[in-house]
Amino acid sequence: MTAIGLKNHVIIIPALIQTAGRDAWMCCVITFLLTFGWIPLLLYIQKKTNQEKLFEWIRKHKWSGTGSFISITVIFYLSLAVVVTLKETIIWVKIAFLPETPVFFMILLFMLVCLSLAATSLRTISIVNVFLLFFIFILGFFVAITNFQVKQYSLLLPFLEHGPIPVFKSMIFQASGMVEMLIYIFLQHKITMPIRFRHFFVASVILTGLTIGPLLGAIAEFGPVEAANQRFPAYEEWGLVSLGHFIEHMDFLSIYQWLSGTFIRVSLIFFIIREICPFEKKTRKWIWSILFVFIMALTLWPLSDFVYSKLLLQHLLPLTFWVFMALSIFLGLFVMLLSKRSGGAKNALQERKIH
């Protein structure tokens, strides 16, 4: 809810509104329904790997080279996900409340804090998340309820003003967040009980709700045209919050929400990288150093916000969907192949014993 939710709640909303306008919420509903056709693939991978550590299971079947290649590919992409998360956060921080603070020091300090949490355990990350998420949850409902006074849901009409094509085009952005549920498979060995369909169902409902909530709010409060022009519609909604005539300018509360989400998301990604890294302990220090420099360099790359937003819309978000979808399909086919081979080998061994 926190790690993937930050992306669904903040990062993809501008892309959805710019592509589908007032009908952007429809793509969330359609994507939610289509997700149920993908979830069985994740359950199949979990079942066939006996909920073991995925890449160790692959290496156990004498495919260590393939396992290492897949894990390195995943690590590279997860590093890009960290870059996007940090880039979005830093751009917002510079706009909102720290325009004069050097970006280098902000990224450096934030990454060190996230690495410190990632160096602990999944249980520690979960406990920290529980405390942070409680107030994120409260503040989210606070801004939604408080802004009812300025919402005009008539701005959602007419439906399909420009036809269904923009809705279909924008589905890839919502799907880029939903497919990140694949990270459950990378953490399956850390979970004591099997992940069931109901767990993925609940996660899908939450992630869809995290997108539709601020998406409908932005359109109902600002209109589809103004919302499409805003860089961070979810943040701009906080600017409308007021209690009576004397209490307003409460957008500082969004700082807690956003930084908490970024903290958990980046920390969890670092933890997953640590878990799936195929190298020995001595080599891992060098790998972490290279990743640290790589992430810092890309985050500090001097791109204008206009160019970066265009890059995010046209390439980075669609790439997320295609990479994770292709990876899940490949893992499903690969696991099926290895399961059949191991099953065939066991049957042959039993026949030899009988004879």
Side-chain angles (χ1 to χ4, degrees), residues 62-124:
K62 299 180 181 179
W63 285 81
S64 58
T66 303
S68 298
F69 175 77
I70 298 173
S71 58
I72 291 172
T73 303
V74 173
I75 288 172
F76 175 76
Y77 176 74
L78 290 177
S79 300
L80 288 180
V82 172
V83 171
V84 171
T85 304
L86 290 176
K87 191 79 174 177
E88 288 284 299
T89 302
I90 293 302
I91 290 173
W92 168 72
V93 166
K94 294 286 287 185
I95 293 173
F97 60 95
L98 291 178
E100 301 297 330
T101 305
V103 174
F104 175 81
F105 291 106
M106 286 193 289
I107 298 174
L108 179 63
L109 292 174
F110 201 85
M111 283 186 64
L112 290 175
V113 173
C114 293
L115 283 170
S116 299
L117 181 59
T120 56
S121 65
L122 186 61
R123 183 181 297 274
T124 304

Side-chain angles (χ1 to χ4, degrees), residues 209-276:
L210 284 171
T211 306
I212 288 183
L215 183 62
L216 291 177
I219 296 172
E221 292 165 21
F222 304 108
V225 177
E226 177 61 26
N229 291 331
Q230 293 174 348
R231 182 63 177 85
F232 302 112
Y235 168 68
E236 298 298 338
E237 293 178 40
W238 274 97
L240 301 178
V241 174
S242 62
L243 299 175
H245 297 288
F246 302 103
I247 302 176
E248 54 184 14
H249 300 297
M250 303 184 69
D251 50 343
F252 67 92
L253 293 173
S254 64
I255 297 174
Y256 172 85
Q257 278 190 308
W258 196 320
L259 293 186
S260 297
T262 303
F263 176 50
I264 295 298
R265 178 175 173 82
V266 174
S267 299
L268 184 63
I269 290 176
F270 281 151
F271 180 80
I272 295 172
I273 291 175
R274 194 187 79 177
E275 285 293 308
I276 67 176

Side-chain angles (χ1 to χ4, degrees), residues 80-317:
L80 288 180
V82 172
V83 171
V84 171
T85 304
L86 290 176
K87 191 79 174 177
E88 288 284 299
T89 302
I90 293 302
I91 290 173
W92 168 72
V93 166
K94 294 286 287 185
I95 293 173
F97 60 95
L98 291 178
E100 301 297 330
T101 305
V103 174
F104 175 81
F105 291 106
M106 286 193 289
I107 298 174
L108 179 63
L109 292 174
F110 201 85
M111 283 186 64
L112 290 175
V113 173
C114 293
L115 283 170
S116 299
L117 181 59
T120 56
S121 65
L122 186 61
R123 183 181 297 274
T124 304
I125 296 174
S126 300
I127 292 171
V128 172
N129 178 66
V130 167
F131 286 102
L132 295 177
L133 185 59
F134 175 77
F135 294 103
I136 292 174
F137 184 82
I138 297 297
L139 291 175
F141 275 93
F142 171 74
V143 65
I145 294 172
T146 307
N147 281 347
F148 268 132
Q149 56 189 333
V150 295
K151 290 179 180 179
Q152 300 179 37
Y153 285 101
S154 60
L155 293 172
L156 296 172
L157 300 173
F159 296 145
L160 298 176
E161 180 181 11
H162 301 289
I165 301 301
V167 176
F168 294 142
K169 286 183 177 180
S170 63
M171 283 172 56
I172 196 169
F173 303 122
Q174 175 67 6
S176 71
M178 302 298 284
V179 293
E180 287 194 1
M181 287 193 292
L182 182 63
I183 66 174
Y184 280 116
I185 301 301
F186 301 142
L187 297 172
Q188 63 181 6
H189 59 286
K190 292 287 185 179
I191 302 173
T192 54
M193 60 183 295
I195 307 171
R196 305 297 185 187
F197 180 85
R198 63 177 180 271
H199 299 133
F200 284 112
F201 174 78
V202 171
S204 300
V205 171
I206 291 172
L207 293 176
T208 302
L210 284 171
T211 306
I212 288 183
L215 183 62
L216 291 177
I219 296 172
E221 292 165 21
F222 304 108
V225 177
E226 177 61 26
N229 291 331
Q230 293 174 348
R231 182 63 177 85
F232 302 112
Y235 168 68
E236 298 298 338
E237 293 178 40
W238 274 97
L240 301 178
V241 174
S242 62
L243 299 175
H245 297 288
F246 302 103
I247 302 176
E248 54 184 14
H249 300 297
M250 303 184 69
D251 50 343
F252 67 92
L253 293 173
S254 64
I255 297 174
Y256 172 85
Q257 278 190 308
W258 196 320
L259 293 186
S260 297
T262 303
F263 176 50
I264 295 298
R265 178 175 173 82
V266 174
S267 299
L268 184 63
I269 290 176
F270 281 151
F271 180 80
I272 295 172
I273 291 175
R274 194 187 79 177
E275 285 293 308
I276 67 176
C277 186
F279 302 101
E280 298 178 356
K281 290 184 178 180
K282 294 181 180 179
T283 312
R284 287 184 182 183
K285 293 181 180 180
W286 293 101
I287 297 300
W288 276 112
S289 301
I290 293 171
L291 283 178
F292 193 89
V293 174
F294 173 75
I295 293 171
M296 286 284 292
L298 284 186
T299 308
L300 291 169
W301 193 271
L303 286 176
S304 67
D305 190 32
F306 177 78
V307 174
Y308 169 72
S309 299
K310 189 175 180 180
L311 182 66
L312 186 69
L313 177 71
Q314 297 181 356
H315 300 288
L316 295 178
L317 290 178

